PDB file of all heavy atoms in Angstrom:
ATOM      1  N   ALA A 116     115.391  90.541 115.738  1.00  0.00           N
ATOM      2  CA  ALA A 116     114.373  90.020 114.824  1.00  0.00           C
ATOM      3  C   ALA A 116     113.781  88.701 115.303  1.00  0.00           C
ATOM      4  O   ALA A 116     112.877  88.153 114.663  1.00  0.00           O
ATOM      5  CB  ALA A 116     114.968  89.838 113.431  1.00  0.00           C
ATOM      6  N   GLN A 117     114.270  88.178 116.439  1.00  0.00           N
ATOM      7  CA  GLN A 117     113.804  86.916 116.995  1.00  0.00           C
ATOM      8  C   GLN A 117     113.203  87.162 118.386  1.00  0.00           C
ATOM      9  O   GLN A 117     113.420  88.221 118.977  1.00  0.00           O
ATOM     10  CB  GLN A 117     114.963  85.922 117.093  1.00  0.00           C
ATOM     11  CG  GLN A 117     115.652  85.643 115.773  1.00  0.00           C
ATOM     12  CD  GLN A 117     114.758  84.991 114.747  1.00  0.00           C
ATOM     13  OE1 GLN A 117     113.899  84.179 115.111  1.00  0.00           O
ATOM     14  NE2 GLN A 117     114.934  85.337 113.480  1.00  0.00           N
ATOM     15  N   PRO A 118     112.462  86.185 118.949  1.00  0.00           N
ATOM     16  CA  PRO A 118     111.959  86.339 120.315  1.00  0.00           C
ATOM     17  C   PRO A 118     113.102  86.593 121.301  1.00  0.00           C
ATOM     18  O   PRO A 118     114.179  85.995 121.200  1.00  0.00           O
ATOM     19  CB  PRO A 118     111.277  84.990 120.588  1.00  0.00           C
ATOM     20  CG  PRO A 118     110.858  84.520 119.234  1.00  0.00           C
ATOM     21  CD  PRO A 118     111.938  84.961 118.293  1.00  0.00           C
ATOM     22  N   LEU A 119     112.856  87.476 122.258  1.00  0.00           N
ATOM     23  CA  LEU A 119     113.896  87.906 123.182  1.00  0.00           C
ATOM     24  C   LEU A 119     113.850  87.101 124.481  1.00  0.00           C
ATOM     25  O   LEU A 119     112.773  86.684 124.923  1.00  0.00           O
ATOM     26  CB  LEU A 119     113.728  89.396 123.494  1.00  0.00           C
ATOM     27  CG  LEU A 119     113.880  90.342 122.313  1.00  0.00           C
ATOM     28  CD1 LEU A 119     113.571  91.780 122.729  1.00  0.00           C
ATOM     29  CD2 LEU A 119     115.283  90.255 121.709  1.00  0.00           C
ATOM     30  N   PRO A 120     115.002  86.915 125.123  1.00  0.00           N
ATOM     31  CA  PRO A 120     115.070  86.077 126.332  1.00  0.00           C
ATOM     32  C   PRO A 120     114.743  86.839 127.610  1.00  0.00           C
ATOM     33  O   PRO A 120     115.488  86.762 128.599  1.00  0.00           O
ATOM     34  CB  PRO A 120     116.526  85.603 126.320  1.00  0.00           C
ATOM     35  CG  PRO A 120     117.275  86.752 125.727  1.00  0.00           C
ATOM     36  CD  PRO A 120     116.353  87.326 124.671  1.00  0.00           C
ATOM     37  N   TYR A 121     113.625  87.576 127.617  1.00  0.00           N
ATOM     38  CA  TYR A 121     113.232  88.352 128.782  1.00  0.00           C
ATOM     39  C   TYR A 121     111.753  88.102 129.079  1.00  0.00           C
ATOM     40  O   TYR A 121     110.958  87.844 128.170  1.00  0.00           O
ATOM     41  CB  TYR A 121     113.471  89.852 128.556  1.00  0.00           C
ATOM     42  CG  TYR A 121     114.890  90.187 128.194  1.00  0.00           C
ATOM     43  CD1 TYR A 121     115.242  90.467 126.875  1.00  0.00           C
ATOM     44  CD2 TYR A 121     115.891  90.198 129.161  1.00  0.00           C
ATOM     45  CE1 TYR A 121     116.546  90.766 126.526  1.00  0.00           C
ATOM     46  CE2 TYR A 121     117.207  90.496 128.826  1.00  0.00           C
ATOM     47  CZ  TYR A 121     117.526  90.776 127.504  1.00  0.00           C
ATOM     48  OH  TYR A 121     118.830  91.053 127.164  1.00  0.00           O
ATOM     49  N   ALA A 122     111.399  88.221 130.354  1.00  0.00           N
ATOM     50  CA  ALA A 122     110.020  87.991 130.780  1.00  0.00           C
ATOM     51  C   ALA A 122     109.119  89.150 130.350  1.00  0.00           C
ATOM     52  O   ALA A 122     109.580  90.261 130.066  1.00  0.00           O
ATOM     53  CB  ALA A 122     109.975  87.822 132.303  1.00  0.00           C
ATOM     54  N   ASP A 123     107.824  88.893 130.330  1.00  0.00           N
ATOM     55  CA  ASP A 123     106.852  89.957 130.085  1.00  0.00           C
ATOM     56  C   ASP A 123     106.960  91.019 131.177  1.00  0.00           C
ATOM     57  O   ASP A 123     107.232  90.716 132.347  1.00  0.00           O
ATOM     58  CB  ASP A 123     105.434  89.385 130.102  1.00  0.00           C
ATOM     59  CG  ASP A 123     105.168  88.393 128.985  1.00  0.00           C
ATOM     60  OD1 ASP A 123     106.060  88.203 128.129  1.00  0.00           O
ATOM     61  OD2 ASP A 123     104.064  87.813 128.975  1.00  0.00           O
ATOM     62  N   ASN A 124     106.729  92.275 130.790  1.00  0.00           N
ATOM     63  CA  ASN A 124     106.632  93.392 131.744  1.00  0.00           C
ATOM     64  C   ASN A 124     107.876  93.514 132.639  1.00  0.00           C
ATOM     65  O   ASN A 124     107.780  93.856 133.811  1.00  0.00           O
ATOM     66  CB  ASN A 124     105.392  93.223 132.638  1.00  0.00           C
ATOM     67  CG  ASN A 124     104.123  93.042 131.845  1.00  0.00           C
ATOM     68  OD1 ASN A 124     103.955  93.608 130.763  1.00  0.00           O
ATOM     69  ND2 ASN A 124     103.224  92.222 132.363  1.00  0.00           N
ATOM     70  N   ALA A 125     109.049  93.237 132.061  1.00  0.00           N
ATOM     71  CA  ALA A 125     110.268  93.184 132.866  1.00  0.00           C
ATOM     72  C   ALA A 125     110.948  94.538 133.044  1.00  0.00           C
ATOM     73  O   ALA A 125     111.735  94.704 133.983  1.00  0.00           O
ATOM     74  CB  ALA A 125     111.262  92.200 132.246  1.00  0.00           C
ATOM     75  N   PHE A 126     110.646  95.518 132.183  1.00  0.00           N
ATOM     76  CA  PHE A 126     111.434  96.748 132.170  1.00  0.00           C
ATOM     77  C   PHE A 126     110.542  97.988 132.219  1.00  0.00           C
ATOM     78  O   PHE A 126     109.443  98.010 131.671  1.00  0.00           O
ATOM     79  CB  PHE A 126     112.317  96.807 130.915  1.00  0.00           C
ATOM     80  CG  PHE A 126     113.316  95.693 130.842  1.00  0.00           C
ATOM     81  CD1 PHE A 126     113.066  94.566 130.057  1.00  0.00           C
ATOM     82  CD2 PHE A 126     114.494  95.743 131.571  1.00  0.00           C
ATOM     83  CE1 PHE A 126     113.980  93.523 129.999  1.00  0.00           C
ATOM     84  CE2 PHE A 126     115.418  94.714 131.516  1.00  0.00           C
ATOM     85  CZ  PHE A 126     115.158  93.597 130.732  1.00  0.00           C
ATOM     86  N   ASP A 127     111.078  99.021 132.855  1.00  0.00           N
ATOM     87  CA  ASP A 127     110.421 100.326 132.855  1.00  0.00           C
ATOM     88  C   ASP A 127     110.614 101.039 131.527  1.00  0.00           C
ATOM     89  O   ASP A 127     109.722 101.756 131.062  1.00  0.00           O
ATOM     90  CB  ASP A 127     110.982 101.205 133.979  1.00  0.00           C
ATOM     91  CG  ASP A 127     110.752 100.612 135.350  1.00  0.00           C
ATOM     92  OD1 ASP A 127     109.583 100.367 135.702  1.00  0.00           O
ATOM     93  OD2 ASP A 127     111.743 100.366 136.074  1.00  0.00           O
ATOM     94  N   ASP A 128     111.807 100.878 130.948  1.00  0.00           N
ATOM     95  CA  ASP A 128     112.153 101.539 129.687  1.00  0.00           C
ATOM     96  C   ASP A 128     112.966 100.583 128.824  1.00  0.00           C
ATOM     97  O   ASP A 128     113.663  99.694 129.336  1.00  0.00           O
ATOM     98  CB  ASP A 128     113.011 102.791 129.912  1.00  0.00           C
ATOM     99  CG  ASP A 128     112.345 103.844 130.775  1.00  0.00           C
ATOM    100  OD1 ASP A 128     111.165 104.143 130.532  1.00  0.00           O
ATOM    101  OD2 ASP A 128     113.016 104.363 131.682  1.00  0.00           O
ATOM    102  N   VAL A 129     112.887 100.804 127.525  1.00  0.00           N
ATOM    103  CA  VAL A 129     113.824 100.209 126.569  1.00  0.00           C
ATOM    104  C   VAL A 129     114.446 101.349 125.788  1.00  0.00           C
ATOM    105  O   VAL A 129     113.742 102.277 125.354  1.00  0.00           O
ATOM    106  CB  VAL A 129     113.119  99.233 125.601  1.00  0.00           C
ATOM    107  CG1 VAL A 129     114.103  98.777 124.524  1.00  0.00           C
ATOM    108  CG2 VAL A 129     112.550  98.040 126.335  1.00  0.00           C
TER     109      VAL A 129
END
Side-chain angles (χ1 to χ4, degrees):
Q117 302 297 325
L119 297 175
Y121 304 102
D123 296 356
N124 306 326
F126 298 99
D127 299 302
D128 301 314
V129 173

